[in-house]
Each structure stands twice: as C-alpha cells, then as structure tokens.
Amino acid sequence: MKQKSKFLNVICIIIFYLTGNLLLAQSKDSLIIADNSQAFYDIILVGESNGVVETSVKDLSKYLQQISGAQFEVKNKKGEKPAIYVGDKDQRFFNGKFSHLQTRNSFSVNMQRDSKGVNDIYLVGQDSTATAFAVYT
C-alpha cells in the first residue's frame, strides 16, 4: 500500500510540474484542464494502440480524476472539448509533425494551438513504449 501511495504522490508532483511548465509556456493565457470537478479536456487515443498505451491512457484518466475530481473521458476522436492527444508518431492523424522522434524510446510532451486558438496537449512517442513514457512523464 505504501508503494502505491508513493507512486500516486510522484505522479501528482509530475503533473503539477508539467502543468506549471505549460502555464509558463503561454505568455498571456493559462492552461486549465479542470476546475470544480469538471474536465475541460478529453483524452484522445489516436489510431490503433496496444495494451501498453491503453493501460497508460487509463492511468492518465484515473490520476487526473484523483487529482482534480473531474472525469476525463477517453475517446477515439475529438469532440467539442480541447484534447490531450496520445499516440505513436506514425499515426496518420499527426501528419508527420513528430517525424523527428527517431531514436528508440524518444517521445514528445508539448502543447500546440490549433487554428481556432484552442490549446491541445500532445503525448506522442516513437513507438508504443515511448508513447507510454510520454504519458507517464
């Protein structure tokens, strides 16, 4: 039980650190993914995935809920909300944006503003293991 508690604490610290970096990355806006137990983002599982990626996405949804009290839905396509995209770099959806991820286990955790001014989050890996690394980072 202590091991699980330590793991949850580490995940919380990492997410707060990541969120802090995302807030700093935007000069005038703030990135709020949930407030008052309401999720403002959906988690989008891009393309075909295997058990490693599916498990990491379930964990992401679970830990974000534990931290914020909000239910983060996992979907296969974007809806009305901004998105946290999770997938391997070779998925057609990414249109080669992550082709620089060439080395084994390389991944990218970043935010990009779409054409409507919405800030989406991307957790993308060179392969499924690297994608899981992006999620857990």
Side-chain angles (χ1 to χ4, degrees):
M1 191 65 163
K2 286 183 180 182
Q3 191 74 359
K4 187 175 182 180
S5 177
K6 279 184 179 180
F7 179 73
L8 182 57
N9 288 339
V10 169
I11 293 297
C12 290
I13 290 168
I14 290 171
I15 289 173
F16 287 130
Y17 175 77
L18 177 61
T19 303
N21 282 344
L22 291 173
L23 287 170
L24 291 174
Q26 296 184 40
S27 58
K28 297 180 182 178
D29 302 14
S30 60
L31 181 68
I32 301 171
I33 62 172
D35 191 28
N36 291 323
S37 298
Q38 180 182 1
F40 298 142
Y41 279 70
D42 288 328
I43 300 170
I44 309 298
L45 187 55
V46 177
E48 298 294 320
S49 64
N50 64 21
V52 173
V53 174
E54 290 174 7
T55 298
S56 66
V57 166
K58 286 178 186 175
D59 286 346
L60 177 63
S61 176
K62 179 176 82 174
Y63 290 125
L64 288 175
Q65 180 181 11
Q66 288 179 354
I67 292 167
S68 67
Q71 181 68 40
F72 285 81
E73 292 186 51
V74 177
K75 298 181 175 183
N76 289 325
K77 81 180 209 186
K78 184 168 175 132
E80 295 295 316
K81 294 180 182 178
I84 301 170
Y85 292 103
V86 180
D88 298 354
K89 73 172 178 87
D90 293 329
Q91 298 298 327
R92 188 178 309 162
F93 173 82
F94 296 126
N95 293 325
K97 289 179 185 175
F98 298 95
S99 60
H100 63 282
L101 300 175
Q102 294 296 319
T103 58
R104 184 171 184 240
N105 297 330
S106 61
F107 60 89
S108 177
V109 176
N110 69 51
M111 180 184 64
Q112 295 177 10
R113 188 168 289 191
D114 70 10
S115 60
K116 297 177 184 175
V118 175
N119 294 314
D120 290 321
I121 300 169
Y122 290 83
L123 308 175
V124 180
Q126 188 271 336
D127 58 16
S128 58
T129 301
T131 299
F133 291 164
V135 171
Y136 290 114
T137 296

